[in-house]
Amino acid sequence: MSMKLFDTTLRDGTQREGVSLTAEDKARIARELDSLGIHYIEAGFPASNPKDLEFFEGFDDASLCYAKLVAFTRARRPNGRAEDDPAVTLLPSLSAPVACIVAKSWKLHVEKVLRTTPEENLESVRDTVAYLAGKEVIFDAEHYFDGFRDDPAYALAVLRAAAEAGATTLVLCDTNGGTLPTELKAVVARTVLEFPDVEVGIHTHNDSGCGVANALVAVESGA
């Protein structure tokens, strides 16, 4: 089995209370992560954070020996176009060779948070992934396990939209951190069967204390 490690210290890690990293801090941490042999380093959300943009504009990713630098963004706004959305159009100008796109995979959030239709959400995913096709695209399916529990066909349709548009990896996110290992393992196994030609990744949160266990059973199931 081949397994790749995707480190989110420089994005998710900076959301913790009391943590504030400068661009220089991020550069030092990125080099330390690279020295450990990490495969992907998600270094921030440049469209939403000026310090993250400063880091991406000033850091030479060619200085990394092992890791690929990843820039994070969201899918384009509903009823718009990727080519008009600054959160999307910023990424091609950055030297980071990998883009990580997050989008909703739970109908509840599509309709109540984004206030759009399930069909428009799928189009947003397709449009954004296709626009960034010049980079390696990793797709983060936010609240995937909640979405799968609610409507498996739609959660899988979101992944399919990303894969058909060119995403190389589909990451299943337990964003609430509330899925227990037995259920998570079954959902991952089903998802892996649906996408035999695309990498499937796992991103578990630890709200219920199951983050490590969930990651391990996901790998056992093919993530």
Side-chain angles (χ1 to χ4, degrees):
M1 181 196 307
S2 173
M3 188 167 63
K4 298 176 183 177
L5 300 177
F6 184 108
D7 190 277
T8 66
T9 300
L10 298 180
R11 189 186 66 81
D12 269 2
T14 62
Q15 295 176 15
R16 183 170 181 165
E17 184 179 1
V19 175
S20 180
L21 301 178
T22 66
E24 291 182 359
D25 293 333
K26 282 179 170 269
R28 287 197 296 270
I29 293 170
R31 293 190 180 97
E32 289 295 331
L33 292 170
D34 181 54
S35 74
L36 296 174
I38 297 294
H39 300 92
Y40 295 92
I41 298 173
E42 186 181 75
F45 189 174
S48 75
N49 188 329
K51 285 195 294 186
D52 287 356
L53 180 58
E54 179 187 354
F55 167 81
F56 280 106
E57 290 180 335
F59 187 80
D60 179 12
D61 64 288
S63 65
L64 298 175
C65 297
Y66 306 104
K68 294 180 181 179
L69 200 64
V70 183
F72 177 89
T73 196
R74 55 163 174 77
R76 61 105 165 128
R77 298 291 189 193
N79 303 308
R81 299 188 304 174
E83 62 196 60
D84 297 326
D85 193 320
V88 179
T89 59
L90 175 62
L91 265 63
S93 67
L94 303 177
S95 62
V98 184
C100 181
I101 302 167
V102 66
K104 306 292 188 186
S105 60
W106 187 7
K107 267 188 177 178
L108 174 71
H109 281 190
V110 171
E111 296 171 346
K112 302 300 183 183
V113 178
L114 294 181
R115 298 185 182 278
T116 191
T117 64
E119 294 75 18
E120 170 58 19
N121 185 58
L122 295 177
E123 186 55 37
S124 172
V125 169
R126 293 188 195 98
D127 190 21
T128 306
V129 173
Y131 183 85
L132 294 172
K135 294 183 181 288
E136 178 181 349
V137 176
I138 295 173
F139 180 74
D140 259 10
E142 189 179 32
H143 290 282
Y144 180 74
F145 296 91
D146 301 292
F148 194 97
R149 192 179 300 119
D150 176 58
D151 187 335
Y154 185 74
L156 290 167
V158 173
L159 295 183
R160 193 166 292 109
E164 291 176 351
T168 57
T169 305
L170 306 172
V171 180
L172 317 181
C173 302
D174 187 29
T175 312
N176 278 337
T179 307
L180 297 179
T182 302
E183 179 187 6
L184 186 136
K185 184 174 184 177
V187 173
V188 172
R190 164 78 185 279
T191 305
V192 168
L193 286 175
E194 292 279 341
F195 298 95
D197 300 321
V198 184
E199 282 186 336
V200 174
I202 184 68
H203 180 160
T204 58
H205 286 199
N206 199 43
D207 302 58
S208 300
C210 293
V212 172
N214 279 340
L216 291 174
V217 299
V219 171
E220 288 179 352
S221 296

